[in-house]
Structure formats: C-alpha cells, structure tokens
Amino acid sequence: MKFKHYIWDFDGCLCDSYPHTAQMFLEAMRRHGRTELPPYEDVFLRLQVTWLHARDYFGMTPEEYKTLHELDHDFTNAPVPRLFDGIRETLEDIVAAGGKNYLYTLRNHVAKDALDAYGVSHLFTDFVTRENGFPGKPAPDAVTYLLEKHHLNPAETVMVGDRDIDGQSGINAGANGCLLTVLDKNCYGEDMLASSAMPMKARGVGAFREIMGIQN
C-alpha cells in the first residue's frame, strides 16, 4: 500500500452529497421568492469549485446563503446523500492492511453523524470538522494538527479530496495530496484530471485503489 495514513475529505469524496447541496441551493432561492432558478446541472458543477464561487456566480443574497447552510446541514432533506460505491470496502481494506483513516472536512458535525449512520465511523482514527475552528483549505493547519497529534510521518500520509484545495492542504503541511473525483468535466468544460495540479489523481474509487495499491 502506497501510504499508511489516509486523510479524507467528506463532500464529493466519501459521500455523494453534492446532489443534496445543489437541491438545497435551489430550494434556498425558492424560499426567498425567486421564480427564475438556474439549471440544476450548472449549480451542481459550480458548487464543486467552492460554495462561495457558486454563491457569487449566481448572485445569491446573504439571506439565501444563510438558508442554504441551514438546509444543507439537515441530511433528512431529500435526496439523502450516500457513500460512493466502493468507499466502505476501501476504508475497510486500508485498516485491514494496517493503515489508518482520518476525516478532514469543512462541513460541521453532520459529516461525522453521517459516517455514524453509514456504520463506518469505527474505521476512522480521528475527525476534524468545522467545529475545530481551523482555517479553510488549502491552509495546512488541520492536516498539521493530525500529523502532530498522531505522530504521523508526512511521507506516509496523503490528503484525499475531490478538489485541488483538499490535496493542497496536505501538500502545504508537508504530506501528500491526491484528487479523487467521479466527474468527467468541471464547470468550465475542462477534463477534471487534466485540469488538476495534483501529483496523484484518480477518476473513481477503482482507479484510486489501483494508484494507492490497496488490495482486497
């Protein structure tokens, strides 16, 4: 196995949550009286740049953005997010091979609650969420915290996420970074892998496992 320690992003990496967020984005606009809404697919792709990018691109008001946060932090709204296919087995196989998993997400405690509900939280050694108060990605602070707290060798540690800012937070902490995406194209029409600056990149869990040498 290429690395011993895997620090995982949540949204769009472990969990297929962007459909939920895109639906709640549109619902927030609808609740504040908008009658002309942007196309779902455009919202979906813009959110995967960053929430702030989507907010500014579509001219979301502060009130609408506040409502988005309130709606998106309640996973009882439909569609209910799911783990990506192959993630559960990958987490299990990492642990079986003597490795460890960690969570680093900009989402709040709802991410850990979801992992509890999926029955996979026991496969994680530690969790960093918004409540920890670290600066946002690609700042290295949260990854550095995990490295120091658990005495991890940076050379044996990789930060995995669906955006470059995820992996870059690991690189900025002296560890490694990897892009893991299920998308073919970004909102600019560019191939996700070709446009990524990450030294390691995979489209789908199968390709990720191969790159990382994770065996069944």
Side-chain angles (χ1 to χ4, degrees):
M1 196 161 61
K2 190 175 184 67
F3 297 102
K4 289 181 62 176
H5 306 288
Y6 293 80
I7 306 175
W8 297 88
D9 176 48
F10 181 77
D11 295 290
C13 181
L14 292 175
C15 178
D16 188 16
S17 57
Y18 281 107
H20 178 273
T21 303
Q23 292 282 7
M24 295 307 102
F25 192 100
L26 295 169
E27 178 62 21
M29 288 181 158
R30 189 178 293 111
R31 290 193 181 189
H32 287 275
R34 291 214 197 192
T35 56
E36 294 187 10
L37 300 175
Y40 166 84
E41 186 66 23
D42 201 8
V43 171
F44 177 85
L45 291 175
R46 296 285 173 183
L47 282 166
Q48 299 198 43
V49 179
T50 66
W51 277 36
L52 293 178
H53 169 82
R55 180 198 68 183
D56 295 344
Y57 183 84
F58 295 110
M60 195 176 228
T61 67
E63 293 76 17
E64 289 171 335
Y65 195 60
K66 181 174 183 290
T67 299
L68 167 62
H69 276 275
E70 293 169 353
L71 292 172
D72 191 64
H73 287 165
D74 181 3
F75 277 173
T76 61
N77 292 313
V80 177
R82 63 179 181 86
L83 285 180
F84 281 111
D85 293 341
I87 285 293
R88 182 188 305 273
E89 294 79 7
T90 298
L91 296 172
E92 292 172 342
D93 290 341
I94 287 171
V95 173
K100 293 185 177 180
N101 299 298
Y102 306 82
L103 178 73
Y104 169 32
T105 177
L106 300 180
R107 187 181 283 278
N108 68 358
H109 66 87
V110 171
K112 185 179 182 302
D113 294 344
L115 296 178
D116 289 339
Y118 299 143
V120 296
S121 59
H122 68 286
L123 298 170
F124 289 80
T125 298
D126 204 352
F127 307 85
V128 174
T129 62
R130 182 178 298 171
E131 284 84 355
N132 290 88
F134 291 113
K137 301 167 182 175
D141 304 59
V143 177
T144 299
Y145 164 79
L146 289 170
L147 292 172
E148 293 178 350
K149 178 180 178 181
H150 297 282
H151 309 289
L152 310 183
N153 181 346
E156 297 177 337
T157 305
V158 61
M159 175 74 212
V160 185
D162 67 305
R163 300 175 296 172
D164 276 13
I165 61 172
D166 298 309
Q168 193 62 51
S169 66
I171 293 171
N172 290 343
N176 301 276
C178 180
L179 177 79
L180 172 55
T181 182
V182 298
L183 298 181
D184 294 325
K185 304 288 184 182
N186 61 22
C187 63
Y188 306 109
E190 302 166 332
D191 182 272
M192 289 291 290
L193 300 192
S195 63
S196 171
M198 286 296 99
M200 293 172 286
K201 37 202 169 186
R203 182 174 285 117
V205 175
F208 175 80
R209 292 176 62 96
E210 184 175 348
I211 290 170
M212 296 298 167
I214 299 170
Q215 305 296 323
N216 292 332

